[in-house]
Amino acid sequence: MSNSSIVQRIKTFNNYPPRNPDLLQLKYEKMKENAFSFLRGSCHLFYEDWPTNSLLNQAPLSWICGDLHLENFGSYQGDNRLTYFDINDFDESVLAPCTLDITRLITSLFLAVSEIKAFSVDPLALAKRFIDSYSTALSEGKARWIERDTAKGLVEELLDKAEESNRIDFLDKKAPIKNNVRKIKIKKDKTLKVSSETSASVKAAMKQFAQSQENPEFFDMIDVAWRIAGTGSLGLERYIVLVKGKGNGSPDDNYLLDIKLAIEPSLPQFLKDFPQWQWNNESQRIISNQKKIQAINPALLNSLTIDGKFFVMREYQPSEEKIEISSSELNLDQKSLEELIETLGKVVAWSQLRSSGRKGSANADALIEFAQNNRWHQAVLEYAQNYSQIVKANYEEFKQNLE
């Protein structure tokens, strides 16, 4: 563990690659909201502090999300136009012991539960419920996925809401029509205007990408803005792009794209200890791992190069929803929270089974054997419980000393 102050460690990490200064301050303000938000915005601390000698490092290797927490799951529309609920963030995805994702998620559970004011809940009991659900699904050895007909509680509500969402209404909200042309709406804490130079660079990148596509005109750029979203990546280059889309290119045929800068993962010791597949660039790493881990990938998932930098592109959809665990608007009770935790356990197990035996990851038999041996359960629970207290202390130090 580093002897530097928490503020210095965080500022050093966020110095490279350079971030938008105003949005970096917004990231810091979000991290000051509570310890759960702090965890979300400081993934690198979790791995900087991870012990080099631990039983947890002996677990089977898996393609992990890398930044697994309660709010990195959600609904989206797949490239088959059906709606799914799955892990939805792969910026930190690498080959590493499967216990890393489990432990980080349970750490987030201990922190998030303290933000739920509506009722008293035992976080340790929930953590054990997650491990039991994960282990049972993993021991079955079959990768499944969540469907609307089998979803329960909050996930069912999320998928129903996503299914009812309307692309035209979404377009009208994000890019209203004026003089028969859509323009992306600039809204505080959601979008920022970009310079003419940036607009030209993105447009050129879209044109270059379109040349290799079956329908190049689909990607004709109409407008672009800086997108403000997330916590950990806040301040890095991220754009919302309005393109011509299908049909005759009328306003209602337009599509929105999300284009996000791909950077190196913050798990350096694991990149060294466990040989990784040699990707050409970071966007290729993210997309390749996402394709292995998710049941079905989101529409228009591709790599894009802008001014020599690599970005991950996908459709920006009305069906994108996540469960904001501490939201006052969430209809949350004991039963629905337990159902959610059980569902997340299954989703994580299925993701590891789905990517098993791929480019260095353990095969399904090794994962099944791991699931049937419970000697790691207590180690995960103790580490997550102890580290959640460290996060709380780091959060307090950050909140008090950030200038």
Side-chain angles (χ1 to χ4, degrees):
M1 187 179 295
S2 171
N3 292 323
S4 302
S5 73
I6 292 301
V7 171
Q8 186 57 50
R9 289 170 69 186
I10 289 171
K11 286 188 172 182
T12 297
F13 176 82
N14 285 281
N15 275 341
Y16 183 81
R19 302 185 183 225
N20 178 297
D22 293 334
L23 296 185
L24 180 56
Q25 286 305 120
L26 178 59
K27 172 181 177 174
Y28 291 159
E29 290 303 313
K30 284 192 171 189
M31 290 173 64
K32 287 168 63 177
E33 289 177 1
N34 53 58
F36 176 60
S37 295
F38 178 84
L39 178 81
R40 291 182 58 194
S42 59
C43 183
H44 61 101
L45 294 183
F46 184 83
Y47 292 111
E48 289 169 10
D49 295 342
W50 186 268
T52 54
N53 297 313
S54 169
L55 169 67
L56 301 180
N57 294 340
Q58 299 171 24
L61 297 182
S62 178
W63 291 107
I64 65 170
C65 160
D67 186 21
L68 202 64
H69 56 73
L70 290 179
E71 294 190 355
N72 264 348
F73 298 80
S75 65
Y76 63 94
Q77 195 172 70
D79 52 16
N80 59 3
R81 313 319 293 182
L82 299 178
T83 304
Y84 294 86
F85 177 87
D86 210 333
I87 299 170
N88 64 4
D89 191 307
F90 301 90
D91 293 353
E92 302 284 353
S93 182
V94 297
L95 182 68
C98 62
T99 42
L100 268 68
D101 265 357
I102 303 165
T103 308
R104 182 161 172 78
L105 186 138
I106 293 177
T107 301
S108 80
L109 173 60
F110 282 120
L111 295 168
V113 162
S114 63
E115 300 304 316
I116 302 172
K117 312 297 183 185
F119 57 93
S120 176
V121 62
D122 180 1
L124 184 58
L126 283 176
K128 290 179 178 178
R129 187 178 287 268
F130 171 85
I131 288 179
D132 287 345
S133 177
Y134 165 83
S135 298
T136 299
L138 198 65
S139 66
E140 291 174 353
K142 187 174 181 62
R144 301 179 184 271
W145 56 86
I146 300 296
E147 297 177 333
R148 288 181 65 212
D149 291 344
T150 57
K152 297 179 180 179
L154 295 172
V155 174
E156 181 182 16
E157 292 176 17
L158 203 68
L159 289 174
D160 285 343
K161 182 179 178 181
E163 192 70 18
E164 294 167 2
S165 60
N166 182 287
R167 190 176 62 82
I168 305 303
D169 291 343
F170 184 68
L171 276 170
D172 289 341
K173 179 181 178 182
K174 300 294 183 181
I177 298 173
K178 186 175 181 180
N179 298 326
N180 203 38
V181 176
R182 292 190 182 276
K183 286 291 182 182
I184 297 170
K185 186 176 182 179
I186 302 301
K187 186 177 181 181
K188 184 180 180 182
D189 295 337
K190 297 294 183 182
T191 48
L192 290 173
K193 290 183 178 180
V194 299
S195 67
S196 56
E197 291 80 7
T198 297
S199 178
S201 292
V202 177
K203 188 171 186 176
M206 295 299 300
K207 185 175 182 180
Q208 178 67 30
F209 171 80
Q211 291 176 6
S212 63
Q213 300 304 301
E214 185 176 342
N215 180 13
E217 289 187 0
F218 181 99
F219 297 96
D220 287 350
M221 191 181 92
I222 298 171
D223 197 15
V224 58
W226 190 300
R227 185 181 177 202
I228 304 171
T231 301
S233 61
L234 196 53
L236 294 173
E237 284 184 79
R238 187 171 188 173
Y239 304 109
I240 175 173
V241 176
L242 178 70
V243 295
K244 181 179 178 181
K246 297 180 179 179
N248 60 14
S250 74
D252 289 349
D253 292 321
N254 298 156
Y255 276 66
L256 289 168
L257 306 176
D258 175 88
I259 297 175
K260 184 179 182 181
L261 181 67
I263 66 172
E264 294 179 358
S266 55
L267 295 80
Q269 76 181 72
F270 299 101
L271 300 181
K272 178 183 66 176
D273 294 344
F274 305 108
Q276 306 290 308
W277 190 258
Q278 295 302 304
W279 295 281
N280 294 327
N281 56 68
E282 297 302 332
S283 64
Q284 188 185 77
R285 169 185 61 83
I286 293 168
I287 292 170
S288 174
N289 292 345
Q290 184 168 354
K291 288 181 176 180
K292 290 193 287 286
I293 293 170
Q294 283 184 324
I296 299 292
N297 300 129
L300 303 178
L301 182 63
N302 279 288
S303 179
L304 188 72
T305 307
I306 304 175
D307 291 339
K309 292 174 286 188
F310 296 96
F311 291 73
V312 174
M313 179 178 75
R314 60 177 176 80
E315 184 184 354
Y316 183 25
Q317 307 172 349
S319 55
E320 289 179 24
E321 298 284 349
K322 68 178 182 179
I323 294 174
E324 297 182 342
I325 200 72
S326 58
S327 171
S328 59
E329 299 178 2
L330 195 62
N331 183 25
L332 196 62
D333 56 27
Q334 181 82 28
K335 181 181 178 182
S336 61
L337 184 56
E338 290 173 352
E339 288 176 340
L340 171 64
I341 295 305
E342 288 179 357
T343 296
L344 300 189
K346 294 175 184 177
V347 169
V348 176
W350 293 337
S351 75
Q352 293 179 357
L353 285 166
R354 191 174 295 115
S355 60
S356 64
R358 305 280 302 278
K359 294 181 169 60
S361 62
N363 62 25
D365 288 339
L367 291 173
I368 292 169
E369 182 179 352
F370 170 75
Q372 293 172 344
N373 183 345
N374 63 8
R375 70 189 185 99
W376 54 270
H377 290 195
Q378 193 59 35
V380 166
L381 291 170
E382 287 180 0
Y383 187 88
Q385 205 164 19
N386 292 335
Y387 195 73
S388 68
Q389 297 306 309
I390 293 174
V391 174
K392 288 180 180 179
N394 290 345
Y395 162 67
E396 291 297 334
E397 179 183 337
F398 178 77
K399 188 169 63 170
Q400 292 172 14
N401 296 307
L402 180 69
E403 296 179 354

